[in-house]
Amino acid sequence: MPMRYAGVMGLIAGMLFCWGARESQAAEAAPVAEPAAVAAPAAEPAPTAGSMELEDMYFYEFAPVTVASSWAEETVFNSVSTVSVIDRDMIKRFNFTTVSQAVETVAGFMAWRTYLKNRLPISRGLLQDHYANKVLVMINNVPAWHAVTGEGDLDRVDISDVERIEVLKGPASVLYGSNAYSGAVNIVLRKAKPGKSQGFAHGGLGSGAEGFRGPMGSQQAGASYSQSEGDLQYRLSANSRKEIWPQYIFNAEGTAATNRMMVNEYLDLANVTFSGQYGGHSWLINSVVNHELYLGVTPQRSAGVDRDHEIELHLANYAYHYKWEQLQANYSLTFDWSRRNYSRSFDDNTRADIVGSRLMNQLNASYSFWNDWNIEAGADHELRYSTAFTNYLVYEDRVITENNMRDRRVAEGSGYVQLGYSHQPLKVLVGTRATQNELFGTNVSSRGTIVCTLDETNSVKLIVGQSYRAPSLFELNFVTLPQRTVFGNSELKPELATSAELAYLTKVAGFFVQALGYYAIYENSIGRALGSATYDGVTYNNVNVYQNGDRIIAKGAELEVEYRLPTTRIFASGDYVDGDDGDRIYESATNSYTWNFKYVPHWTASGGATQNLGPFTLSALINYYGDMHGRVSLIPANFSVDASLAYQHGNIRHTLAARNLANNNMTVPEYARRTLNEIPLIHGIRVDYGFSLEF
C-alpha cells in the first residue's frame, strides 16, 4: 500500500516539476513545438517503419514505437513506457542471426537457458523455473505464448523478416494483459514500401560441426515477397536456419562416468510468416517447427540428455481497425496453438508431448476530445486450453501416462481504461485494468506515467505501475506420473508486482542516451521447492511442489548510449540489479539455500561498433556477464565477442562473421532443478558466411 501512495505523490511532484521547467524555458525561448511523429490516438497513425528508410535516420526520436494498447504510435522520447528499440539498420549492421541474439544487447534483458528450454527472455533479473512466462512475446502486437506452460518463443520469426524489435521493461500487464509481468518484446515485421513490389532472398553456410543428425555445418536459406498497391499490402516469407556449435563436454547430474557426454548446442528451425492489410483489415499467420538441444527432463543421461526437443507453433490473427473523426476502434481475434515434444529416456523410446491452445478476443476504442485529452477503453477475453501432457512409448505408439493435464482449461477476461493528457511539454497517462480469472477472482492493477519534454532533445519520465500474472495450467495441475515426484498446486496465488522508475532521455551531437533507475516489489513469486502434496487422497512428503514465495524487493539502474552518424554506429548498454532474498528457501536435499537473485549477476553489459568503409561494413559486438552464484560456487565473470565483415554490391550483400571469437565457454547457473552448479550457454567458435539479395 505505501508504494501505491508514494506513486501518486511522485506523479503529482513530476507534473509540478515539468510545468516549472516549462515556465522557466518560456522566459528564455519560444515554446518547443510538439514533434511531428506525436499525435493523439485519434489522429491518423504515424507512418510505419516499413514505409520509411530507417538506415537514413540518425536519431531515435524519428522511429515510431507502438507501446500502448491502442494502435497509436509514439517515439521513445514521448512514449508512456520505458522502451528500447532495435531497428532494421542495427540488425543489418551487426549481422544478428536471431531475435534472441539482438535482445541480449538491451540493458536489463538476458536470453538464458535451463536444461529444459533455451533462449528464455529474462527482464530485470526475474527468473522463472523451467520456462520464462513473465515476459510477453508479441508479433505485430499480437501475443504469442504456450497455453500450457506459458513461455513465448523469441525466435519463432526469422531475423530477416524483422523491421524492428521493441523491448518494454518493467510491469506491463495494464497495457498488454496476461504474461506481461516483468516486460514485453514486440517483434514488428517488415513491409513493402508504398506502391512497390519487393523480393528478398538470403542464404549461407557455417563452419562444420558434429550434430545430432551427423556431421553438418550451420546453414540458412529463405525468401520473401511483398507488395503494396493502394489499400492492399502483404508480405509472405519462408525460412530455414540451422545453427550448430562445436561439441563440448556436458557434466550431467550424477557420478557415473556415462554422465560425462559430448553434446552440441544447436537450433534447427523452419518457419512461414504471412502478414497483410487491406483497408482496415489485417491478417497475421506464423507457423514454425524448431528443434533444439535438450538436456534432459532432469539433467541425466537416463532422462534424455542430448536428444531432440521439438517445438511446433501456429499463430493466426485477424484484426479490424475503424476510424471515424475523433473515434478509433480495434477488434482482434487470435488463435495460438503450441506443441512441445521431448525425450524422457536414454533410448529415446519414452517421450513427452505437451499440446495446448489459446483463443483470444480483444476490443478497444479511443476517443480524443478538447484537443489535449484522450480516453481509451477495452476488453479482452481469453480461453487457455491444455489438450494433453502425455508420456508415450515411441516404438509402440502407446500413451503410458497423462500427467494430470488432459482437458484442463481456464478462462480469463479483463477490462481496462486509460486517460491521457498531452500538451507540450507535459504528457500524462493513467490507466487501470481489472482482470477476472475464473480460478482466482478479480485483480485490479494500475499504472501512471508522466513524460516531461524539457526541450526538443531532453525528456524525463516517471512511471509507476503494477502487474499481475495468474499461474499457468502447468503450475496448477501437473503431476509426474507414475513417479509422483513433481506436483502442481491448485492453491497457488497469482503473482503481483509494483514498480517505480525514473528515466532521463537526451540527444546531443549524434549521441542518444537513456538512463533510468527503478525500485520493484514482487509478491507471490512462483517457484518449485520441496514440500508436501496430496494426489488422489494420498499425501506425498519431500517432493517438488510449486509454491508461492515471500516478497522480493529489487532495485536497479540501466544505461543505454548510442552514437550514430551516416557511416558510424556505436552503442553501449549496461545494467545493475540488486535483489534481496525474500523468497529464500532451505533445501535439505542439497543442504543449501536458494532464492531468485542468488543466480542473477549484479552487472551485465553489451556494446558494439560498426563502420562503413565504402562498400564494406565492419562490426564488433561484445556481451558481458558479471560474477554470479551457482548452487554451490561462484561462476566467474565472462564475455563473448562477435565480429563481422559485410560487402555490399548493388542489391547483393555478402557477410562473413565469427561468433564467440574469444572462444570463451560462457555458463549460467542451473537455477531450475539446482543439482548442477551451472550449464553451458555459449561454447566454441563458429564462422558463418551469408548473402542476401533484394529485387
Side-chain angles (χ1 to χ4, degrees), residues 541-555:
N541 297 313
N542 202 35
V543 292
N544 286 289
V545 184
Y546 279 95
Q547 303 176 28
N548 289 114
D550 293 330
R551 172 180 289 191
I552 306 171
I553 296 177
K555 49 189 177 295

Side-chain angles (χ1 to χ4, degrees), residues 354-414:
I354 314 172
V355 181
S357 60
R358 299 167 40 249
L359 181 65
M360 186 174 188
N361 283 273
Q362 297 174 294
L363 176 66
N364 62 50
S366 64
Y367 181 75
S368 294
F369 57 98
W370 299 341
N371 295 323
D372 300 327
W373 292 85
N374 173 263
I375 188 169
E376 179 183 330
D380 303 345
H381 183 270
E382 183 172 69
L383 177 63
R384 304 163 195 163
Y385 182 67
S386 170
T387 305
F389 191 141
T390 60
N391 297 343
Y392 67 98
L393 297 177
V394 177
Y395 302 134
E396 300 177 27
D397 192 21
R398 177 169 61 89
V399 173
I400 54 177
T401 60
E402 292 285 356
N403 295 313
N404 201 40
M405 294 296 295
R406 179 169 290 278
D407 295 332
R408 298 285 184 177
R409 67 182 67 195
V410 64
E412 184 175 283
S414 65

